[in-house]
């Protein structure tokens, strides 16, 4: 169902005439038992932090739009009790690219580990603070969207 939806969305975006542009997408469904099925269409990988460490969830396919025949794969993960799932746009890890050094995935991983005990909202606020401090007094080069989901223990 998820793959079918993403495939149809890709074809619709291609037909819309926006094929010279592209759209990345992370689309998933988290069930109450912790099962997470997702498709990553050229988006930064979602991060799953649990007792085993951090895993990047990147199964999927190409960005939406340019190729109407793109095929997508369904990825699976299990979000254990006490685990954290973080999704974010590329504006997060690319912050600072214009001025020299991007924030990068290494810092995103560090942030996720260091804020694992904070409430989700506080973790997002902490990331925004870190992004601002990375390039003080500089405008954001791209949109920044962040979502943190913590499964209760």
């Amino acid at each position: 169902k998820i793959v079918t939806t993403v495939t149809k969305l890709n074809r619709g975006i291609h037909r819309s005439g926006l094929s010279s542009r592209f759209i990345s997408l992370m689309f998933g469904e988290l069930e109450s038992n912790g099962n997470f099925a997702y498709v990553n269409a050229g988006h930064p990988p979602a991060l799953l932090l649990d007792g085993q460490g951090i895993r990047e969830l990147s199964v999927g396919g190409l960005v939406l739009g340019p190729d109407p025949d793109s095929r997508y794969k369904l990825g699976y993960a299990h979000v254990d009790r006490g685990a954290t799932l973080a999704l974010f746009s590329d504006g997060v890890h690319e912050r600072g690219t214009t001025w020299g050094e991007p924030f990068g995935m290494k810092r995103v991983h560090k942030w996720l580990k260091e804020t694992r005990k904070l409430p989700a909202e506080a973790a997002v606020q902490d990331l925004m603070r870190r992004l601002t401090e990375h390039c003080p007094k500089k405008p954001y080069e791209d949109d920044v969207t962040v979502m943190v989901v913590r499964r209760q223990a």
Side-chain angles (χ1 to χ4, degrees):
K1 185 175 171 180
I2 293 172
V3 170
T4 302
T5 301
V6 172
T7 300
K8 287 180 180 179
L9 183 59
N10 177 58
R11 288 184 184 138
I13 291 168
H14 180 80
R15 278 193 300 268
S16 74
L18 297 175
S19 60
S20 63
R21 300 183 56 114
F22 61 89
I23 298 170
S24 69
L25 171 78
M26 180 68 175
F27 182 71
E29 183 177 299
L30 179 60
E31 297 175 348
S32 59
N33 64 3
N35 290 334
F36 183 57
Y38 70 92
V39 170
N40 185 325
H43 203 68
L47 300 178
L48 177 59
L49 173 64
D50 58 19
Q52 300 172 11
I54 295 178
R55 283 179 282 153
E56 294 188 353
L57 307 182
S58 57
V59 174
L62 298 174
V63 293
L64 304 176
D67 182 358
D69 298 319
S70 286
R71 295 189 175 269
Y72 299 91
K73 293 181 181 177
L74 189 61
Y76 294 98
H78 186 77
V79 182
D80 294 327
R81 294 194 179 279
T84 300
L85 182 62
L87 299 95
F88 49 91
S89 62
D90 59 358
V92 172
H93 64 90
E94 293 176 356
R95 170 83 171 136
T97 302
T98 304
W99 298 283
E101 183 183 357
F103 190 76
M105 289 299 288
K106 186 175 178 180
R107 285 186 179 97
V108 175
H109 283 233
K110 183 175 190 251
W111 156 76
L112 189 58
K113 287 177 184 174
E114 290 178 353
T115 60
R116 72 183 311 160
K117 300 292 184 189
L118 293 178
E121 184 178 350
V124 171
Q125 290 171 350
D126 184 79
L127 178 59
M128 296 307 295
R129 178 190 57 77
R130 291 176 192 224
L131 291 171
T132 299
E133 288 176 357
H134 183 68
C135 294
K137 300 181 183 176
K138 298 287 186 185
Y140 280 80
E141 301 102 319
D142 199 354
D143 68 288
V144 171
T145 305
V146 182
M147 182 173 75
V148 172
V149 176
R150 300 217 194 273
R151 185 155 183 236
Q152 293 182 336

